[in-house]
Amino acid sequence: MRHNKAINHLGRQAGHRNALLANMSVSLVRHKRINTTVAKAKALKRYLEPLVTKSKDDSTHSRRVVFSYLKNKEAVTELFRTIAPKIANRPGGYLRVLHTGFRQGDGAEMALIEFVDFNEAALSAAPKKEAKKTTRRSRAKKAEAPVAEAQAEEAPKAE
């Protein structure tokens, strides 16, 4: 049975796993997106999202709690000054994991993990949606077209 087996150990001891996740979190906070394996990306998402939620409250206590996980002053500053204001109104789901294929050497499934509000390409593409002016029903237009042409022909004859 799989009772209480929620954590993915990633084939590492606890200290190594914590260091790995802390270093990956620092890289993600600095660069806003990183490439890694799917298993590490999912573990990183579970590790970092509570810290991002905690960064919404800019107090000394929350900064110290986040620093105890990340162990990097610059990353904590970046998280609280740059990232937290952009995600202030978002209720959760700060990170996105996109599957990118398989690694050439060992066939590991790779993923791109990024902050949702920092992908300029996706943000610029999203608001460009325009309402369609045409309908999919082409028969209605064909039926109206001969009627409109007949009325147009009758109008000049009346003059």
Side-chain angles (χ1 to χ4, degrees), residues 35-93:
N35 285 311
T36 184
T37 63
V38 172
K40 287 180 189 173
K42 288 180 179 179
L44 181 61
K45 188 174 181 180
R46 287 193 59 179
Y47 184 84
L48 189 58
E49 285 203 349
L51 300 181
V52 176
T53 301
K54 197 161 279 291
S55 73
K56 289 181 179 183
D57 175 33
D58 192 5
S59 64
T60 305
H61 176 67
S62 60
R63 280 183 178 262
R64 286 178 176 166
V65 170
V66 170
F67 180 76
S68 73
Y69 283 89
L70 297 184
K71 300 169 181 63
N72 187 298
K73 282 188 213 176
E74 291 82 17
V76 172
T77 304
E78 177 83 9
L79 183 63
F80 277 85
R81 286 193 184 156
T82 309
I83 296 171
K86 271 193 127 174
I87 53 96
N89 58 354
R90 183 177 285 275

Side-chain angles (χ1 to χ4, degrees), residues 12-142:
R12 290 162 171 81
Q13 300 287 326
H16 187 186
R17 185 172 53 253
N18 290 337
L20 170 83
L21 293 172
N23 288 333
M24 287 178 67
S25 298
V26 169
S27 295
L28 184 59
V29 167
R30 283 187 179 168
H31 302 293
K32 308 302 185 276
R33 63 169 47 178
I34 57 173
N35 285 311
T36 184
T37 63
V38 172
K40 287 180 189 173
K42 288 180 179 179
L44 181 61
K45 188 174 181 180
R46 287 193 59 179
Y47 184 84
L48 189 58
E49 285 203 349
L51 300 181
V52 176
T53 301
K54 197 161 279 291
S55 73
K56 289 181 179 183
D57 175 33
D58 192 5
S59 64
T60 305
H61 176 67
S62 60
R63 280 183 178 262
R64 286 178 176 166
V65 170
V66 170
F67 180 76
S68 73
Y69 283 89
L70 297 184
K71 300 169 181 63
N72 187 298
K73 282 188 213 176
E74 291 82 17
V76 172
T77 304
E78 177 83 9
L79 183 63
F80 277 85
R81 286 193 184 156
T82 309
I83 296 171
K86 271 193 127 174
I87 53 96
N89 58 354
R90 183 177 285 275
Y94 314 111
L95 299 174
R96 175 186 299 136
V97 177
L98 300 169
H99 297 253
T100 58
F102 298 94
R103 188 160 49 197
Q104 184 67 35
D106 59 356
E109 193 172 2
M110 299 300 288
L112 175 81
I113 184 167
E114 64 183 0
F115 280 98
V116 173
D117 294 330
F118 284 87
N119 186 352
E120 289 80 18
L123 291 175
S124 64
K128 291 184 180 178
K129 291 184 179 177
E130 296 179 9
K132 286 188 175 182
K133 295 179 182 177
T134 62
T135 62
R136 293 183 63 177
R137 294 185 222 149
S138 59
R139 291 184 184 166
K141 286 185 178 180
K142 289 180 184 176

